[in-house]
Amino acid sequence: MIKNKKVIEKNISEKEYMVIKNENGVGTRTVNVKDVLGEDAIKAEALSPEELDTLIERGLKVEKLYGSVQDTEWGFDTDTKEFYFLQSRPITTLEEKKEEKLVTLCKGLPASPGIGRGKVKLIKDISEINLVEEGDVLVTAMTNPDMVPAMRKCAGVVTDEGGRTCHAAIVSRELQIPCIVGAKNATKSLKTGDTVTVDAVRGIVYDGEVLKEKEEKKTESQSSGPSLGNIDELRHIFAPTTATKIYMNLGEPGLIDKYKNLPMDGIGLMRTEFIFTNMIGAHPMYLVKTGQGDLMVDKLAEGISKVAQAIYPKNLVVRTSDFRTNEFRGLKGGDEVEPIEANPMIGWRGVSRYISPEYEKGFRLECQAIKKVREEYGLTNVIVMLPFVRTPQELKVVKGIMAEEGLVQSKNFKIWIMAEVPAVVLQAEEFAELVDGFSIGSNDLTQLVMGADRDSGILNNMGYFDERNDAVKIALKTIIDAANKKGITCSICGQGPSQYPELAEFLVE
């Protein structure tokens, strides 16, 4: 908008939720926009043409009044329809500059924030992954565990498919790489060799190297700040004290030195899949078949112990492998032993795999690695968490296998399960009798409660995959209530609470 009152750009976001006053006039609550304003309001402009005119007119007036460009907060009163400025302060950082031309090539969901620039490397399948070089922007339909080594080199990642909890999103956040998922036509609109800028804050891929000024200003701001001798110590001093413990998620063992001094109470989810893909590189049953089981035990123990040692005596909750069949097939020897499933997301995974004759020996190697960490290295802060549990009976069977490998549940060795299947919700108290803790896997739980594929960009955009849905919140409360009743630990390791503060508040309450 310039002084002739012409609107030069519009960005209309989809608005699924709104905050309204409670009926008694005290406090507010969050409601669905469609329930109050109707379905059309979700994608409609928030301001009417008349309200926009008023905003422009008052904005120019306050700028003239104070003699400088202003940063304002404003609102329209629902009852009186009057416009009010709530706050106004001068912007002192504006400079005369040549306007940068931004050419949008494709859009998607911002999954790992940041801005990255580089040449596009279009990868159609895993056979081409070796083409990725340092500083490239990886563009593909969807990533898989075999692509992680290449992703480490990338300045950015863009995928056609996926939502904010898909493989590309999770790994990129772990590696702190800008990532956009669900871009639909990225593999068609972006060509190998193109120079692009991945704006994973807004979810847009631009032509050329742009937006440099934003990063330059950020760097200048950071460098001009006070020099702090021990920033980690200050973090702990100024971090708020919470009655609810704060655990973090971790996948890549090599990153623990970077995060170990954060004000956290432990690690509530360590994904072992990174160790399999980066340190072991082969399917467990291939290693069993070729007599290389000790390699897996040693490498897995090495990765786990690195993290456990760094945060000792804080708890490290290690989730045993939760590869799906399509992901396991990508490991060396995996294509010989893994079936092809139509829907791997709800297929042969988690505990059902551990108790199967086709994989039991592989799971025993995982148990041996954890026993080595606890007994040989003395890192007794390691807790085991079992993923994708479906029935109490299979839980009893897998605990029996663990006991045979020397991992006997006791006050000194605790066993948790992921609460991510609706069956666990419906039998929460029965499961609570068998374990020492629940960790709510809200990504899979939301997917299964809502019947919404977590990797579907379409359903993510339509709002179906949302942990704040009432049905999901009922499931969350049921699990928490059962844990409290039976006196066991209950945590959450899904994406929701870090994205929606109101969900974190709901969980704590």
Side-chain angles (χ1 to χ4, degrees):
M1 192 274 294
I2 54 180
K3 292 190 177 182
N4 63 10
K5 301 183 181 181
K6 179 183 177 182
V7 176
I8 59 176
E9 181 181 355
K10 286 186 180 182
N11 291 298
I12 303 172
S13 300
E14 293 189 8
K15 302 162 285 295
E16 298 286 346
Y17 300 93
M18 62 187 295
V19 178
I20 63 173
K21 286 195 297 187
N22 289 325
E23 284 79 0
N24 60 8
V26 179
T28 62
R29 70 180 193 278
T30 302
V31 296
N32 290 317
V33 169
K34 64 180 180 181
D35 295 337
V36 178
L37 302 178
E39 191 81 37
D40 293 342
I42 293 175
K43 296 183 179 181
E45 294 183 43
L47 298 178
S48 68
E50 293 77 15
E51 290 171 331
L52 182 58
D53 285 343
T54 299
L55 173 61
I56 294 172
E57 179 190 344
R58 302 292 172 84
L60 292 173
K61 187 175 291 186
V62 75
E63 181 179 316
K64 182 178 180 181
L65 177 66
Y66 287 111
S68 65
V69 179
Q70 298 288 300
D71 175 7
T72 65
E73 295 178 13
W74 51 270
F76 284 93
D77 189 297
T78 303
D79 300 321
T80 66
K81 310 301 181 185
E82 288 293 327
F83 173 91
Y84 293 93
F85 276 117
L86 309 177
Q87 184 172 224
S88 183
R89 52 189 175 271
I91 298 176
T92 59
T93 57
L94 292 180
E95 300 175 2
E96 290 296 323
K97 61 181 181 179
K98 182 179 179 181
E99 187 173 342
E100 187 173 43
K101 185 178 181 181
L102 300 178
V103 178
T104 299
L105 300 178
C106 63
K107 295 182 179 182
L109 298 171
S112 178
I115 297 175
R117 303 172 190 83
K119 291 188 179 296
V120 169
K121 195 59 64 71
L122 183 60
I123 301 299
K124 296 178 182 177
D125 56 58
I126 193 62
S127 67
E128 301 178 338
I129 200 65
N130 290 333
L131 299 175
V132 176
E133 299 177 348
E134 193 74 32
D136 282 345
V137 171
L138 172 62
V139 178
T140 188
M142 174 49 66
T143 63
N144 62 52
D146 288 338
M147 295 183 178
V148 173
M151 292 173 70
R152 294 172 185 276
K153 306 176 186 178
C154 294
V157 175
V158 183
T159 68
D160 283 345
E161 304 166 6
R164 57 183 171 79
T165 62
C166 69
H167 179 269
I170 292 172
V171 173
S172 295
R173 285 193 292 268
E174 184 84 26
L175 300 177
Q176 297 187 315
I177 300 168
C179 175
I180 296 173
V181 300
K184 299 179 183 177
N185 64 343
T187 54
K188 294 180 180 178
S189 57
L190 305 178
K191 308 298 181 186
T192 292
D194 290 350
T195 299
V196 299
T197 296
V198 178
D199 180 355
V201 177
R202 299 179 65 188
I204 303 174
V205 179
Y206 295 109
D207 184 29
E209 293 193 7
V210 295
L211 305 180
K212 289 185 176 181
E213 187 173 337
K214 289 186 178 181
E215 290 194 334
E216 287 170 1
K217 286 187 176 180
K218 182 179 178 182
T219 302
E220 289 172 6
S221 173
Q222 290 172 341
S223 62
S224 63
S227 176
L228 301 175
N230 192 339
I231 190 68
D232 292 325
E233 183 178 341
L234 286 172
R235 281 195 187 110
H236 283 277
I237 291 173
F238 293 110
T241 300
T242 59
T244 303
K245 290 185 176 180
I246 306 297
Y247 281 13
M248 66 173 279
N249 293 354
L250 184 75
E252 173 56 64
L255 294 176
I256 188 58
D257 289 334
K258 183 176 182 179
Y259 298 131
K260 65 182 180 182
N261 293 317
L262 289 174
M264 51 129 175
D265 297 297
I267 292 178
L269 168 64
M270 179 180 176
R271 303 180 181 94
T272 56
E273 291 80 22
F274 280 79
I275 302 176
F276 277 94
T277 55
N278 301 336
M279 298 176 66
I280 300 172
H283 193 287
M285 295 311 296
Y286 171 81
L287 296 175
V288 170
K289 181 181 177 181
T290 57
Q292 300 181 74
D294 288 346
L295 170 66
M296 174 173 156
V297 173
D298 292 343
K299 290 295 184 182
L300 194 54
E302 178 186 339
I304 295 171
S305 63
K306 179 179 178 66
V307 179
Q309 180 67 52
I311 67 168
Y312 190 87
K314 295 176 181 177
N315 284 338
L316 169 62
V317 182
V318 177
R319 186 182 69 184
T320 46
S321 63
D322 192 27
F323 280 123
R324 296 180 281 276
T325 50
N326 59 320
E327 297 170 335
F328 250 139
R329 284 179 64 83
L331 296 177
K332 183 177 181 181
D335 55 347
E336 299 176 10
V337 295
E338 290 294 329
I340 296 176
E341 295 184 305
N343 195 346
M345 188 75 80
I346 54 173
W348 189 40
R349 60 181 287 202
V351 172
S352 66
R353 173 181 288 272
Y354 306 158
I355 65 174
S356 300
E358 294 83 0
Y359 187 79
E360 182 182 325
K361 290 181 180 179
F363 177 65
R364 287 182 181 273
L365 293 178
E366 295 187 50
C367 293
Q368 291 166 26
I370 292 168
K371 181 182 179 183
K372 183 173 184 175
V373 171
R374 288 179 54 86
E375 296 188 1
E376 291 187 26
Y377 302 160
L379 297 170
T380 53
N381 56 327
V382 171
I383 294 171
V384 169
M385 181 158 67
L386 302 167
F388 223 75
V389 179
R390 292 177 170 103
T391 70
Q393 181 56 36
E394 68 172 3
L395 179 56
K396 293 174 183 176
V397 173
V398 79
K399 285 172 62 179
I401 295 173
M402 294 173 68
E404 290 173 6
E405 294 297 334
L407 297 178
V408 180
Q409 186 179 10
S410 67
K411 65 178 182 179
N412 296 319
F413 174 64
K414 300 185 183 301
I415 298 175
W416 291 14
I417 63 169
M418 294 280 289
E420 53 193 341
V421 176
V424 176
V425 179
L426 298 174
Q427 294 178 276
E429 291 189 18
E430 186 175 350
F431 277 102
E433 295 279 2
L434 299 172
V435 295
D436 303 293
F438 290 149
S439 184
I440 301 171
S442 57
N443 295 344
D444 270 330
L445 183 62
T446 301
Q447 168 178 248
L448 296 172
V449 168
M450 297 303 299
D453 183 355
R454 57 188 269 193
D455 287 346
S456 170
I458 296 174
L459 294 180
N460 268 262
N461 283 324
M462 294 178 70
Y464 285 105
F465 187 89
D466 193 322
E467 296 89 336
R468 297 169 298 178
N469 181 276
D470 287 342
V472 178
K473 290 170 73 175
I474 290 171
L476 295 173
K477 186 177 187 303
T478 301
I479 295 168
I480 295 168
D481 288 347
N484 290 337
K485 181 177 179 180
K486 298 298 181 179
I488 69 170
T489 301
C490 188
S491 67
I492 187 166
C493 58
Q495 179 75 9
S498 63
Q499 179 151 5
Y500 306 120
E502 65 270 31
L503 181 62
E505 186 176 350
F506 167 80
L507 292 167
V508 171
E509 290 176 349

